[in-house]
Amino acid sequence: MLKTTLAGLRAHKLRLLLTSLAITLGVGFIAGTFVLTDTIEAGFRQKFAAAADKIDVVVLPAEDGGRERQAVGADLLEKVRGVEGVADAQGVVRGTAALIGKDGKAAGDYPTSAISIPEGRLNRTEITGGAAPRSAAEAVLDENTAKTRGFAVGDRITVLDSKNVKHEFTLVGLFDVGVDQALAYSGAVGFTTGTAMKMSGEKDFRKIDVAAAEGVTAETLRASVATALGTGAQVETGAKHAEELAAANGADTKILTLGLLLFGLVAMFVAALVIYNTFNILVAQRTREMALLRCIGATRRQVFGSIVLESAVVGLISSVLGLLTGLGLGAGALAVIGRTGLDVPTGAVALAPRTVAVGMVLGIVVTVAAALLPARAATRVAPIAALRSQVEEQTFRTGVVRVAFAGLFLLAGVGATVLGVTQDPGEAALFTVMGGGALTFLAVLILGPVLVKPLSALVGWLPGRLFGVPGRLAVDNSQRNPKRSATTTVALTIGVTLMTLISVLTATLRVTYNAKLDEQFPVDYLVASQGDQGTLPRALAEDLRARPELASVVALRAASAKIGKHGEFEVGTFTAAADFTPKAATGSFGDLKPGTAALADYVVKDLKVEVGDTIAVKTTEDGTVQLKVVATFLGENALLPEVTVPEQDFDGYFGRLGDGQIIADVKDGVAEENARRAVEAAAQPYPTAKVSSSTEIRGEFDEALDMMLMIITGLLGLAILISLLGIANTLSLSVHERTRESALLRALGLTRPQLRRMLSVEALVLGVIGALVGVALGAVFGWAATTTMTTGVVFQLPVPQVLAFVALSGLAGVVAAVLPARRAARASIVGSLASG
Amino acid sequence: MTITGEVGAWNARGNAASAVVARGLTKVYGQGDAAVHALRGVDVSFETSAFTAIMGPSGSGKSTLMHCLAGLDAVSGGKVHIGDVELTGLNDKQLTLLRRERIGFIFQAFNLLPTLTAEQNIRLPLEISGRKADQDLFDRVVETVGLRDRLGHKPTELSGGQQQRVAVARALISKPQVIFADEPTGNLDSRSGAEVLSFLRTSVRELGQTIVMVTHDPVAASYADRVIFLRDGLLVSELMRPSPQSVLDTLMKLEA
Ligand SMILES: Nc1ncnc2c1ncn2[C@@H]1O[C@H](COP(=O)(O)OP(=O)(O)OP(=O)(O)O)[C@@H](O)[C@H]1O
Ligand SMILES: [Mg+2]
């Protein structure tokens, strides 16, 4: 039996390869994910380990102690330095100090980080050019910031301290931020330790790095430092600390791994469908062969075993190929990441034993599991079938069980979806809808064979009319084996459903967001301090109000305050302006008089109060004040502070704070450029004042959405590719099955192009059916999902995109049919007529 | 060589009324040592409105001859005319169109498309060539082959004999210049076989159809107006107005 199976496999190398390709791609993607993330993780670990080499012991903030004690007191440094066996100890300072760019404005969206760069062995950073800062007049910049902002060693740079006062330094060197992603993101300026503390306003250290004297081991030193400091701090060896950092970083790569694996699993599921279908067809085609085996004495179990064995061999081969593909994919992805200039450290690209194990097991198990049902069908072949001359057409009748099951799933799916949609937006609702979607999809999967006939009649109406006999025959062919057609198309449906879902989500979010922006943020310009840190002097708003190009300039200011026993809230105010009246959900902003407050809807919920109730706010200047709630508003998209009090009250409660944000409208009839120039001119004297316009915000959001859409589409592309392989596979097997039919048609006068067209139309019909079902599911569940994400959703069906999906699926089907069709058209009529 | 003499005489009668004519037809399969000479120079013509049977031992080249005559397979040498068209030198497209317009086929098995009903199968050649079916002819043909109440059935719902009758009807409906049939009764029991054969003969008599049929069966051959005999790729004998016995006798002589 083993020999028969292997001989059969060898005889059909091409078919084997096509079938394997589906699994190969799935396994390849999963293995590639592991290769990519493993390599990145290894790279990080190496760098962390290298950094730890320099440091023997680290003093960290004491564990626990709440959120307040995130720092190591500066007083501890002297204590540590006094410990026996310490060669050197340096406090690590980390805060912010905004670098001023050449345009006189603070550089970047966020202020640059300010860090301490000690001299000597304990310098954690790597100085790549020039020297480390040695005096209070010297500073260094990270390489990337220096490059983008156009600074070179020897230049003078200006940096704002925590009070926004400008200080000048000589740029004496450049350094590499290494593995620190936060520094890489914000950019960093390095000073001597004392200067770093002054500039950032930090009074304590993040940690203290300690170097051991000659002959003292890290562990001994750790013990003695720990004893000296007692419970005031946590002391660890440098090596252990590096490991912890690497592990924390690994958690980030885990999320990436999980996200990618999700797409890998979708691809594997599609691959399983393709395999299932392929084996089903193979079994159907080999009915006679199998019956013959049974006639000459093979048992059912042997027949079953031969199919399972065949699938295991296919699984094995494709898994091995998949692992190799994964290695290539991982290396490719790393190369692409390298190209984009992201500073991601990498280790050597390799297949970890875990990757090999997961890839092999997954590939083989999925293949064999997908082949089990077809193998069982094979055992049902009666020996007598060997004697039948005409291969029986597979007939399909809609079974009661099938309809009952589908109905059950559909009911549960629709029920869950309705439940999710009617729930308040939130994670629970989203998961309910997702569950509903999965159940509905199962219902469609079960019902597939029933749906194929009417759908292909619908889809095939036009081709049947356009292409004459070949068209009509093609439509007939697409219906003749509903189960096969259904499985083939469902594989495509999965990809298209997800694609449609994502495009509906992004289109809806885009429009919803813009609508909310229009409604709740009807302003043209927003001036805010860099990174929303600190405030802007009130003079800036005054200046803006004086500009003739602008209308209704509103300043918003806020402070954090405890309300009752509920914790911290953002309490703030807005300055009055002619055309600015915030919209109240309940109550009225007209009642916002001294001693009152307006609350965002979610604050109302948190505090469990309503209009007319009183809240107790703990202020800094006026003790605890009792405020009457007079209005509520939709907080999610309003710019107002979540607890809004009248302007005069705010100064009384918290003092004359600066403005957090200033919003301004362009006066009617003023040109966009002129308005922009006016706003920028007003902001120019304040380096940290960043100007953004609603068009910019919209643009950024659009860009982010487009990026997401592109990445997800790319990742889903794999599942679609696999399903197309499935279509090609099904068609080529069908073509094989219909060799004699094709020959008959050719004998009766069908030309070669007509025969090719017939198969193309069949593939087109299959592709379009799969896409139509996918588009319908995707649109419905895309809608359902958006309703669970936020309120006031403006549903959007991106019609051109959806039409493109359907058209592309049809086209892809046609492309998948090219090879099988060519083979069918090339076959000699006489030879084919003779074939069994 | 009385047999070949007869053939020569018949062919010499000229072919003014011939539907199909082959001259010096050769067919070689394979190359070099492995070459099989399936036809070694066959001269033959088939009269219009006549029913001709081709017989001969297995492997004598009957099917090959038929395929070459019908333009299903390329010839190695010689010429074939169907009516006034010479087949040799036509490309695939032209051959296909020729088959579509002028030739009907009945095969031993697998004659019908399983997805189509009997009626659709019968109309298929006309549909492919985009011609309208002559409703009178359709009714007459369907009546003749006795399929009126089976028209809506799929091939799997028909018996083997019924399937072959559908194939006959299909071949007749497009009024081809010639119908080629390769062992059309090979899979049928004698009664169904006899039915199909009488339909074929009727269509020759009443519709003036030209039919060329390959068969193994002397009884089947006896329905024809004329039987030609092949051996080792050569035309070796022929019989006019054959009876089963005379056919059998000739075969015995050939195999001796
Ligand atoms: N495709 C082919 N390749 C090689 N040889 C072939 C091929 N087709 C037929 N032959 C050979 O050509 C010769 C004639 O074959 P053909 O099928 O015409 O015989 P036949 O008279 O129809 O026989 P049968 O009565 O068994 O159907 C045989 O020797 C056969 O082996
Ligand atoms: Mg033959």
Side-chain angles (χ1 to χ4, degrees), chain A residues 160-218:
Chain A
L160 295 180
D161 67 12
S162 57
K163 304 239 157 36
N164 282 349
V165 181
K166 291 181 185 175
H167 296 264
E168 275 201 30
F169 297 90
T170 308
L171 185 60
V172 294
L174 302 178
F175 68 95
D176 179 11
V177 294
V179 288
D180 198 320
Q181 299 298 300
L183 287 192
Y185 183 69
S186 66
V189 198
F191 308 98
T192 58
T193 308
T195 316
M197 291 178 92
K198 254 184 247 144
M199 289 300 292
S200 64
E202 299 282 333
K203 309 221 159 29
D204 293 319
F205 300 124
R206 281 295 166 91
K207 47 191 164 193
I208 298 173
D209 291 341
V210 187
E214 201 81 39
V216 181
T217 66

Side-chain angles (χ1 to χ4, degrees), chain A residues 27 174-175 330 432 454-455 547 595 618 662 673 713 724 730 795 836:
Chain A
V27 171
L174 302 178
F175 68 95
T432 316
L455 279 176
R547 302 259 165 185
K618 197 171 162 202
I662 303 162
E673 318 89 81
T713 307
L724 291 180
T730 306
F795 177 68

Side-chain angles (χ1 to χ4, degrees), chain A residues 441-747:
Chain A
F441 187 81
L442 278 179
V444 171
L445 193 68
I446 299 172
L447 219 51
V450 185
L451 295 175
V452 159
K453 200 158 190 154
L455 279 176
S456 75
L458 180 78
V459 171
W461 186 82
L462 192 64
R465 224 128 291 230
L466 276 180
F467 297 112
V469 180
R472 257 167 292 152
L473 289 175
V475 177
D476 283 346
N477 281 338
S478 67
Q479 302 175 352
R480 72 198 279 182
N481 204 325
K483 271 194 197 167
R484 186 185 295 182
S485 301
T487 320
T488 310
T489 51
V490 158
L492 182 63
T493 300
I494 295 175
V496 176
T497 303
L498 293 176
M499 286 256 200
T500 310
L501 190 93
I502 294 300
S503 49
V504 166
L505 277 185
T506 44
T508 301
L509 283 183
R510 197 186 304 259
V511 172
T512 305
Y513 179 83
N514 281 343
K516 288 193 177 179
L517 214 59
D518 286 340
E519 191 185 329
Q520 303 289 344
F521 183 53
V523 294
D524 299 321
Y525 287 99
L526 173 73
V527 184
S529 70
Q530 189 187 32
D532 275 334
Q533 298 180 4
T535 56
L536 300 167
R538 291 189 178 187
L540 174 50
E542 288 310 321
D543 187 358
L544 286 170
R545 278 190 198 101
R547 302 259 165 185
E549 293 90 345
L550 304 176
S552 105
V553 174
V554 177
L556 299 153
R557 42 188 89 113
S560 181
K562 258 203 167 93
I563 297 182
K565 296 184 197 67
H566 296 277
E568 303 271 336
F569 285 85
E570 182 196 29
V571 179
T573 188
F574 63 95
T575 61
D579 313 339
F580 185 75
T581 23
K583 232 163 114 183
T586 59
S588 156
F589 272 91
D591 297 336
L592 197 63
K593 306 261 159 55
T596 65
L599 307 186
D601 48 356
Y602 54 85
V603 176
V604 170
K605 218 180 269 170
D606 281 357
L607 298 181
K608 298 192 186 64
V609 292
E610 49 189 74
V611 171
D613 289 352
T614 306
I615 55 172
V617 179
K618 197 171 162 202
T619 68
T620 53
E621 309 290 316
D622 205 11
T624 299
V625 294
Q626 301 291 327
L627 303 180
K628 192 169 153 222
V629 179
V630 293
T632 68
F633 56 91
L634 295 178
E636 193 177 45
N637 31 38
L639 276 170
L640 296 182
E642 53 195 24
V643 176
T644 299
V645 299
E647 192 183 342
Q648 307 78 8
D649 283 8
F650 183 78
D651 285 0
Y653 300 155
F654 299 100
R656 277 185 63 83
L657 296 181
D659 295 331
Q661 295 175 318
I662 303 162
I663 52 184
D665 266 346
V666 179
K667 198 167 264 170
D668 285 342
V670 174
E672 180 73 28
E673 318 89 81
N674 294 343
R676 169 117 218 165
R677 225 174 291 130
V679 177
E680 302 228 308
Q684 185 57 38
Y686 311 98
T688 61
K690 290 270 164 182
V691 178
S692 53
S693 66
S694 53
T695 22
E696 265 170 30
I697 295 176
R698 224 163 275 193
E700 272 166 29
F701 184 71
D702 277 356
E703 244 171 58
L705 274 183
D706 287 340
M707 186 78 173
M708 186 181 90
L709 189 65
M710 222 171 68
I711 292 177
I712 295 184
T713 307
L715 292 174
L716 285 176
L718 182 74
I720 300 223
L721 185 68
I722 294 179
S723 61
L724 291 180
L725 279 177
I727 292 189
N729 217 6
T730 306
L731 275 182
S732 74
L733 288 167
S734 298
V735 162
H736 174 75
E737 212 169 66
R738 299 187 212 139
T739 308
R740 290 226 278 177
E741 239 175 277
S742 305
L744 179 66
L745 281 167
R746 293 269 292 124

Side-chain angles (χ1 to χ4, degrees), chain B:
Chain B
M1 285 304 267
T2 49
I3 300 168
T4 34
E6 263 180 46
V7 173
W10 196 85
N11 278 336
R13 284 208 305 265
N15 47 25
S18 293
V20 183
V21 180
R23 290 276 166 259
L25 201 57
T26 61
K27 174 75 188 176
V28 185
Y29 290 112
Q31 282 175 338
D33 285 348
V36 177
H37 294 264
L39 298 176
R40 298 164 182 270
V42 175
D43 292 299
V44 67
S45 50
F46 299 92
E47 245 179 305
T48 305
S49 302
F51 186 0
T52 312
I54 304 176
M55 295 200 76
S58 187
S60 57
K62 303 183 293 292
S63 298
T64 305
L65 175 62
M66 199 201 91
H67 292 152
C68 289
L69 293 176
L72 288 173
D73 212 350
V75 301
S76 305
K79 287 184 173 167
V80 176
H81 283 87
I82 300 231
D84 51 357
V85 181
E86 194 197 322
L87 259 58
T88 37
L90 295 188
N91 63 22
D92 180 75
K93 172 106 196 261
Q94 292 164 321
L95 277 176
T96 306
L97 293 180
L98 179 95
R99 283 199 302 272
R100 199 189 261 188
E101 306 292 332
R102 305 201 179 186
I103 303 177
F105 288 97
I106 305 166
F107 298 107
Q108 179 174 353
F110 207 85
N111 257 307
L112 308 178
L113 284 195
T115 47
L116 303 184
T117 62
E119 172 162 3
Q120 286 170 327
N121 263 297
I122 294 174
R123 290 182 189 274
L124 187 60
L126 290 175
E127 300 242 329
I128 290 178
S129 55
R131 281 180 287 167
K132 266 256 161 284
D134 175 349
Q135 194 57 39
D136 279 349
L137 180 66
F138 181 83
D139 289 337
R140 226 166 107 202
V141 166
V142 168
E143 219 55 65
T144 317
V145 295
L147 283 169
R148 178 60 64 195
D149 54 340
R150 284 280 182 278
L151 285 179
H153 290 230
K154 292 271 173 77
T156 42
E157 298 157 353
L158 298 173
S159 73
Q162 286 167 335
Q163 286 179 22
Q164 287 308 80
R165 272 146 59 189
V166 173
V168 171
R170 181 188 62 202
L172 290 173
I173 196 79
S174 54
K175 288 192 276 186
Q177 210 152 11
V178 53
I179 293 176
F180 290 104
D182 195 352
E183 307 198 29
T185 56
N187 279 352
L188 302 181
D189 61 43
S190 53
R191 226 196 84 218
S192 318
E195 268 176 18
V196 169
L197 287 164
S198 23
F199 295 137
L200 290 178
R201 192 166 56 189
T202 316
S203 68
V204 172
R205 299 268 184 283
E206 292 181 4
L207 304 171
Q209 188 62 60
T210 310
I211 297 179
V212 177
M213 172 181 75
V214 172
T215 182
H216 269 117
D217 177 8
V219 178
S222 70
Y223 281 81
D225 301 315
R226 167 186 170 225
V227 186
I228 62 170
F229 295 90
L230 282 182
R231 193 177 66 192
D232 294 336
L234 280 172
L235 192 56
V236 289
S237 176
E238 81 165 64
L239 274 178
M240 302 298 288
R241 280 174 297 284
S243 68
Q245 193 52 49
S246 64
V247 172
L248 203 58
D249 291 347
T250 314
L251 276 178
M252 301 288 263
K253 244 188 286 172
L254 283 179
E255 278 166 26

